[in-house]
């Protein structure tokens, strides 16, 4: 990748993106990082990037191709004014702040600015994230290609045209890793309750979920067919699925879970 990047925020998600970009060929000297945290600045510096505690310290004349806003949603409004000049000179703005609407950035940077809102998730830390993006009317095909190049360095990408769908994206994939982690925790506890040693129960649960997920990704079968393939009539799997697929089973719980997270995303926005 050949582009200059201004990364605002170098916490867990910012560092995941930064590491992925450098692995994909971005030159560290082409990345400027701004973060008030000394620990985060130190980590950015170790990547070889120029790192500053304040945007006021960035050298005069620097103009990034893209600004990545990777700060907490609750402080996003406080930092935007510091980067208006870059956007007005043509920098693409990409936000990964959950719940922050495109309109918020248009109000600060101007309606003519190219704005992309992206919802990542935490597996980006191991380059297995899922990043869904939505663009305003001023984002060109070139801009979308730039965004995909940056986000594909940490996982898979997809686009939606309707920004209201980003709340459902947040409820499913943005929050989704926590649902899976909790399922693994529940499987471990169930294994221990069934008599397994805790270390073995943990290994079985983690490896089973990881392997099943990878099989679902790589197989040409639907996930429904994969479930059918492993379910012998009147067998042990069928007995377990009778509970999970009951009227008050997993489908109902997952509907309620995603709906609750989606509703909260709408509230925060």
């Amino acid at each position: 990748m050949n582009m200059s990047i201004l990364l605002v925020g170098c916490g867990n998600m910012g560092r995941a993106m930064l590491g992925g970009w450098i692995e994909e060929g971005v030159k560290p000297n082409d990345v400027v990082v701004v973060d008030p945290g000394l620990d985060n600045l130190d980590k950015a510096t170790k990547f070889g990037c120029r790192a500053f505690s304040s945007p006021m310290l960035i050298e005069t004349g620097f103009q990034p191709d893209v600004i990545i806003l990777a700060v907490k949603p609750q402080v996003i409004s406080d930092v935007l004014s510091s980067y208006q000049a870059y956007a007005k000179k043509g920098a693409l703005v990409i936000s990964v702040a959950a719940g922050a609407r495109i309109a918020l950035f248009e109000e600060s940077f101007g309606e003519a600015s190219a704005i992309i809102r992206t919802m990542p998730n935490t597996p980006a830390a191991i380059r297995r994230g899922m990043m869904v993006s939505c663009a305003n009317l001023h984002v060109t095909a070139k801009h979308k290609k730039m965004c995909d190049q940056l986000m594909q360095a940490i996982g898979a990408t997809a686009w939606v045209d309707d920004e209201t769908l980003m709340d459902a994206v947040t409820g499913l994939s943005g929050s989704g890793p926590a649902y899976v982690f909790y399922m693994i925790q529940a499987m471990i506890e169930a294994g221990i309750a069934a008599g397994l040693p805790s270390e073995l129960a943990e290994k079985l649960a983690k490896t089973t979920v990881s392997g099943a997920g990878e099989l679902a990704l790589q197989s040409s079968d639907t996930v429904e067919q994969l479930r059918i393939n492993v379910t012998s009539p009147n067998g042990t799997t069928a007995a377990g699925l009778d509970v999970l697929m009951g009227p008050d089973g997993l489908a109902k719980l997952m509907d309620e879970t995603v709906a609750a997270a989606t509703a909260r995303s709408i509230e925060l926005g």
Side-chain angles (χ1 to χ4, degrees):
M1 286 185 280
N2 185 21
M3 67 180 82
S4 60
I5 302 167
L6 173 55
L7 174 63
V8 183
C10 197
N12 291 334
M13 186 57 65
R15 285 197 303 277
M17 291 190 292
L18 184 56
W21 301 335
I22 291 172
E23 285 183 6
E24 291 298 315
V26 170
K27 298 175 182 177
N29 196 50
D30 286 339
V31 182
V32 169
V33 175
V34 177
D35 194 299
L38 295 179
D39 185 51
N40 289 343
L41 287 179
D42 180 61
K43 291 174 180 175
T45 301
K46 288 178 178 177
F47 277 111
C49 305
R50 290 171 287 160
F52 304 98
S53 60
S54 166
M56 301 297 292
L57 300 174
I58 299 173
E59 65 268 25
T60 302
F62 173 70
Q63 175 59 36
D65 296 313
V66 58
I67 304 167
I68 308 288
L69 298 166
V71 300
K72 299 290 185 184
Q74 55 267 36
V75 301
I76 188 72
S77 296
D78 299 331
V79 306
L80 297 183
S81 61
S82 298
Y83 304 98
Q84 289 174 343
Y86 299 119
K88 289 179 179 178
K89 289 181 181 178
L92 169 65
V93 178
I94 301 175
S95 168
V96 297
R101 304 292 193 251
I102 288 174
L104 172 68
F105 304 103
E106 289 179 334
E107 289 171 8
S108 182
F109 298 133
E111 292 186 1
S113 295
I115 312 290
I116 295 175
R117 175 185 171 190
T118 298
M119 182 69 238
N121 62 13
T122 55
I126 58 166
R127 318 293 185 258
R128 296 296 299 272
M130 181 69 238
M131 277 61 63
V132 181
S133 300
C134 182
N136 76 351
L137 295 176
H138 300 286
V139 170
T140 65
K142 180 181 178 181
H143 289 142
K144 286 188 173 182
K145 183 178 180 180
M146 289 171 63
C147 181
D148 276 342
Q149 284 181 310
L150 291 168
M151 296 304 156
Q152 286 170 1
I154 53 171
T157 60
W159 290 82
V160 295
D161 294 325
D162 182 355
E163 190 183 5
T164 63
L165 293 178
M166 293 295 283
D167 295 309
V169 167
T170 301
L172 180 58
S173 66
S175 300
Y179 312 155
V180 177
F181 298 147
Y182 184 66
M183 183 180 73
I184 294 171
Q185 180 185 345
M187 290 174 68
I188 293 169
E189 292 171 354
I192 293 170
L196 293 174
S198 59
E199 289 186 5
L200 178 57
E202 181 174 352
K203 183 176 182 178
L204 293 178
K206 288 180 177 179
T207 306
T208 297
V209 171
S210 174
E214 192 61 34
L215 178 59
L217 278 175
Q218 294 191 22
S219 178
S220 59
D221 288 337
T222 64
V223 290
E224 180 183 16
Q225 186 58 52
L226 290 172
R227 171 182 58 78
I228 292 171
N229 292 347
V230 77
T231 309
S232 302
N234 299 317
T236 58
T237 306
L241 287 174
D242 283 344
V243 178
L244 280 180
M245 297 175 71
D248 294 317
L250 185 59
K252 180 175 183 292
L253 285 173
M254 193 54 65
D255 281 345
E256 293 173 353
T257 297
V258 173
T262 300
R264 182 55 177 158
S265 177
I266 294 171
E267 291 172 2
L268 290 173

